[in-house]
Amino acid sequence: ATRLLRFPDVHGDRVAFVYAGDLFVASVNGGAARQLTAHVGQELFPKFSPDGKWIYFASDRSGRSNIYRHRVSGAGRPEPLFSSPLECYPTSISRDGKTLCYTTADSTGDFDLWLCNLDGDPQPRGFRETDMFEMRGEFSPDGRWLAYASFETGSMESFVESLDPSGGR
């Protein structure tokens, strides 16, 4: 079987990546990679927290892809953020570390953007829920906007939308 290095995310001098379905962390300066998960499920889309202490990722260890977090140090076990009936994949974490953006996928192939709190109760909430295809949400550096891809015009285009409900797009 082919084993691929997939879905890298970089924080400082460390890189998080998926290899053969498991989550690893390595130094960009060389040396051995440290394996954080071991053959429990398929891990996807690792994202470092801004302080570099956590990695958020999708895993199907519960039967469908939901979002977990694991300490970069390797201490402890992966912790689920919440349980959703939809497939969930992290895309971005706000610079202040308080909010995670993620894409959901349902059985019809519809993709939507959701947000959840990372400082306390996750309280998932829809950000962009339409019957169009929205994905790849990324926070702006100031945390006031979310850029994302959408198929709402009939072709894949990028949009930027205010996180303030009274803001624009």
Side-chain angles (χ1 to χ4, degrees):
T2 302
R3 295 176 179 248
L4 299 172
L5 171 78
R6 300 171 54 196
F7 311 112
D9 189 39
V10 177
H11 184 275
D13 66 349
R14 295 175 295 180
V15 61
F17 59 92
V18 172
Y19 178 74
D22 290 315
L23 183 62
F24 289 80
V25 174
S27 170
V28 296
N29 300 316
R34 186 167 21 94
Q35 187 172 354
L36 295 181
T37 62
H39 311 298
V40 176
Q42 172 69 42
E43 322 298 18
L44 299 166
F45 308 112
K47 299 291 178 195
F48 279 101
S49 62
D51 64 8
K53 294 180 181 178
W54 295 93
I55 296 177
Y56 294 84
F57 61 98
S59 177
D60 65 0
R61 60 186 60 221
S62 67
R64 76 179 77 69
S65 285
N66 267 283
I67 300 173
Y68 291 76
R69 71 179 188 169
H70 198 316
R71 292 185 188 280
V72 172
S73 68
R77 296 179 174 267
E79 305 169 0
L81 280 189
F82 53 82
S83 180
S84 172
L86 302 172
E87 301 277 329
C88 299
Y89 307 97
T91 62
S92 181
I93 299 173
S94 62
R95 226 182 229 180
D96 64 8
K98 294 181 179 180
T99 310
L100 172 80
C101 178
Y102 62 99
T103 297
T104 61
D106 67 21
S107 60
T108 68
D110 182 34
F111 290 86
D112 292 315
L113 292 174
W114 284 64
L115 303 173
C116 79
N117 298 328
L118 295 177
D119 61 343
D121 184 1
Q123 303 172 12
R125 61 196 184 279
F127 176 76
R128 198 62 142 132
E129 296 178 274
T130 71
D131 56 356
M132 298 297 142
F133 187 87
E134 296 96 12
M135 61 186 292
R136 297 183 181 158
E138 291 288 333
F139 289 99
S140 64
D142 65 8
R144 296 175 34 202
W145 299 86
L146 194 71
Y148 60 92
S150 175
F151 201 76
E152 74 179 63
T153 64
S155 61
M156 190 61 73
E157 294 186 319
S158 296
F159 292 86
V160 178
E161 187 168 338
S162 175
L163 290 167
D164 181 339
S166 64
R169 182 168 87 130

